């Protein structure tokens, strides 16, 4: 490796460490962790500041003498636009290097593909010279050709990219559960876990298996549809076309069905929240609905643990509200005897409801934090803030 290649390699290493570490480590800590010479680190940081990728700020607390500097995002640095498309709403945020995200807009929608038109208009309104790409988290399986299905909304093979109308702006589209798992591996409880399982439960459940922090995508890009596996022994038809799916017993839709409330078209988010709140207050019908949900989820987790052997399991969405004794007992009973002595921990997400949005942001920065991405930024870097 010649001197130029080595410098470019170390620039990327340093930039990646700042991003992955949440822009929280001092230059001295980064120098030590990356095993760089102090002079080399100083030159690298200076170059990244000149390229408007990083800016150093004094640490809030430091010893006497020269203030300790913390490299972080430049005020005119790259931004990733991230969007979280739910069954009944969407949210847009701008993310900086280091992982800090600022919500820019949010809106409800009617549960039809026309929601993509409004989302696209909102995204285009926030495009600017600092934006290096758009990441979209969608509440359904996304094929490698960008077609989206959301079974309980009746969406089939919806061409997302064309509907958004972003032109040449790089667009990364991913399933919400997989992106929530990616976020958990980068900034949550699955960081550093060699084999992790993440389940995201909203209107129905989905998830992803992560190997060394990377979600498995499958041959066609749609792996992780755990909600459409017959893990609970039922045989009822599911809107996806299969029978006996876990999603019929787990998620907001399952809570609504249990109490005889309308299901479909993204209806019922607030009603489901009220059911969970009522269960916490001891209302019998709500308690039964939530306990049945938790029992089915626990049974499903046990089956997935038997099959996939993760070191840890994390839950996001309303899966967090279902974590408790009922879920743990159902999971334990579903485990093979050989796994019961040391079952993997089942942990609530460290990111809460932000997981899919954070994962969408990470999906944009991954291709940017490459030699090609950084070199393109250097050649075309903007002069004005977005």
């Amino acid at each position: 490796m010649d001197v130029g290649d080595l410098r470019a390699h170390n620039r990327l290493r340093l930039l990646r460490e700042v991003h992955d570490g949440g822009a929280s480590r001092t230059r001295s800590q980064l120098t030590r962790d990356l095993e760089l010479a102090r002079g080399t680190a100083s030159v690298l940081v200076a170059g990244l500041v000149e390229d408007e990728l990083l800016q150093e700020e004094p640490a809030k607390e430091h010893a006497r003498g020269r203030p300790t500097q913390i490299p972080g995002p430049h005020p005119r640095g790259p931004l990733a636009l991230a969007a979280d498309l739910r069954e009944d709403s969407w949210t847009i945020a701008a993310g900086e290097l280091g992982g800090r995200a600022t919500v820019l807009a949010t809106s409800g929608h009617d549960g039809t593909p026309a929601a993509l038109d409004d989302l696209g208009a909102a995204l285009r309104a926030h495009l600017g010279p600092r934006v290096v790409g758009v990441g979209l988290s969608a509440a359904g399986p996304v094929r490698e050709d960008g077609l989206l299905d959301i079974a309980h909304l009746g969406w089939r093979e919806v061409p997302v990219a064309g509907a958004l109308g972003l032109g040449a702006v790089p667009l990364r589209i991913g399933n919400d559960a997989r992106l929530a798992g990616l976020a958990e591996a980068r900034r949550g409880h699955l960081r550093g876990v060699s084999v992790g399982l993440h389940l995201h439960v909203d209107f129905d459940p989905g998830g992803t298996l992560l190997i060394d922090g990377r979600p498995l995508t499958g041959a066609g890009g749609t792996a992780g549809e755990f909600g459409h596996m017959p893990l609970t022994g039922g045989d009822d038809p599911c809107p996806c076309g299969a029978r006996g799916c876990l999603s019929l017993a787990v998620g907001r839709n399952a809570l609504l069905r249990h109490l005889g409330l309308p299901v479909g078209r993204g209806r019922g988010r607030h009603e489901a929240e009220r059911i969970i709140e009522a269960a916490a207050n001891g209302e019998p019908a709500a308690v039964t609905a939530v306990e049945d949900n938790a029992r089915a989820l626990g049974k499903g987790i046990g089956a997935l643990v038997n099959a996939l052997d993760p070191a840890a399991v994390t839950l996001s969405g309303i899966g967090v509200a279902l974590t408790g004794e009922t879920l743990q007992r159902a999971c334990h009973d579903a485990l093979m005897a050989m796994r019961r002595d040391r079952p993997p921990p089942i942990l609530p997400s460290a990111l809460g409801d932000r997981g899919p949005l954070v994962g969408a942001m990470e999906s944009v920065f991954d291709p940017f934090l490459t030699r090609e991405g950084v070199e393109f930024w250097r050649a075309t870097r903007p002069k004005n803030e977005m």
Side-chain angles (χ1 to χ4, degrees):
M1 186 180 293
D2 63 26
V3 174
D5 287 339
L6 180 60
R7 183 180 297 113
H9 175 69
N10 283 330
R11 279 168 57 88
L12 281 177
R13 290 176 65 213
L14 178 56
L15 201 56
R16 184 90 230 189
E17 284 294 310
V18 170
H19 179 66
D20 289 349
S24 63
R25 284 180 285 178
T26 66
R27 189 201 298 185
S28 297
Q29 290 171 322
L30 292 166
T31 300
R32 182 181 64 249
D33 294 345
L34 293 172
E35 298 182 340
L36 297 171
R38 290 177 62 185
T40 299
S42 296
V43 170
L44 292 174
V45 170
L48 291 168
V49 171
E50 181 180 352
D51 291 337
E52 297 183 338
L53 287 164
L54 295 181
Q55 176 172 278
E56 288 193 300
E57 298 286 349
K60 293 181 179 179
E61 297 180 1
H62 59 84
R64 292 181 179 179
R66 186 176 180 179
T68 301
Q69 300 292 309
I70 296 180
H74 196 282
R76 293 187 297 278
L79 293 175
L81 278 188
D84 181 18
L85 175 65
R86 311 304 318 148
E87 289 92 335
D88 57 350
S89 63
W90 51 256
T91 299
I92 298 174
E96 299 177 299
L97 286 172
R100 184 174 63 185
T102 302
V103 172
L104 302 175
T106 187
S107 176
H109 65 76
D110 64 0
T112 72
L116 293 170
D117 297 332
D118 293 337
L119 175 58
L123 285 168
R124 293 192 297 272
H126 288 96
L127 292 178
R130 295 174 60 192
V131 173
V132 297
V134 174
L136 173 65
S137 165
V142 181
R143 306 179 198 180
E144 288 184 337
D145 52 8
L147 298 178
L148 170 65
D149 285 24
I150 304 180
H152 54 273
L153 295 187
W155 293 26
R156 295 288 190 273
E157 300 184 349
V158 176
V160 177
L164 293 179
L166 300 179
V169 177
L171 173 63
R172 310 278 290 188
I173 310 169
N175 170 259
D176 59 341
R178 186 184 303 158
L179 290 174
L182 174 64
E184 201 67 31
R186 296 288 174 81
R187 305 191 181 275
H189 293 311
L190 294 182
R191 185 169 186 177
V193 174
S194 59
V195 181
L197 174 64
H198 183 79
L199 296 174
H200 180 69
V201 185
D202 196 0
F203 281 91
D204 62 2
T208 186
L209 185 72
L210 301 110
I211 308 296
D212 294 326
R214 294 182 177 275
L216 295 186
T217 59
T222 58
E225 290 298 317
F226 301 134
H228 297 289
M229 298 175 66
L231 299 178
T232 56
D235 192 42
D236 292 334
C238 177
C240 78
R243 302 184 74 90
C245 292
L246 180 66
S247 64
L248 296 173
V250 174
R252 297 181 194 272
N253 282 333
L255 287 174
L256 297 173
R257 275 192 294 266
H258 195 286
L259 294 181
L261 298 173
V263 173
R265 291 294 175 194
R267 293 190 297 261
R269 179 176 298 276
H270 299 301
E271 288 84 350
E273 296 291 344
R274 283 195 286 270
I275 293 170
I276 293 171
E277 184 178 353
N281 292 329
E283 294 185 20
V287 168
T288 301
V290 171
E291 291 288 288
D292 285 355
N293 225 281
R295 191 174 298 107
L297 179 57
K299 185 176 182 179
I301 291 173
L304 292 171
V305 168
N306 288 337
L308 303 174
D309 190 25
V313 179
T314 49
L315 296 173
S316 57
I318 68 166
V320 174
L322 301 177
T323 305
E325 183 180 347
T326 298
L327 182 148
Q328 295 286 350
R329 188 186 314 114
C331 179
H332 176 272
D333 291 345
L335 291 176
M336 301 165 64
M338 70 179 217
R339 300 192 187 280
R340 290 178 180 171
D341 290 339
R342 288 190 294 178
I346 302 173
L347 306 168
S349 169
L351 302 171
D353 293 334
R354 298 183 300 116
L357 203 59
V358 172
M361 176 193 72
E362 295 292 345
S363 75
V364 172
F365 277 127
D366 277 352
F368 175 76
L369 292 173
T370 62
R371 185 164 182 173
E372 294 77 14
V374 170
E375 287 301 320
F376 184 79
W377 171 266
R378 293 181 69 190
T380 62
R381 71 183 190 269
K383 301 302 181 183
N384 300 303
E385 294 190 35
M386 186 182 78

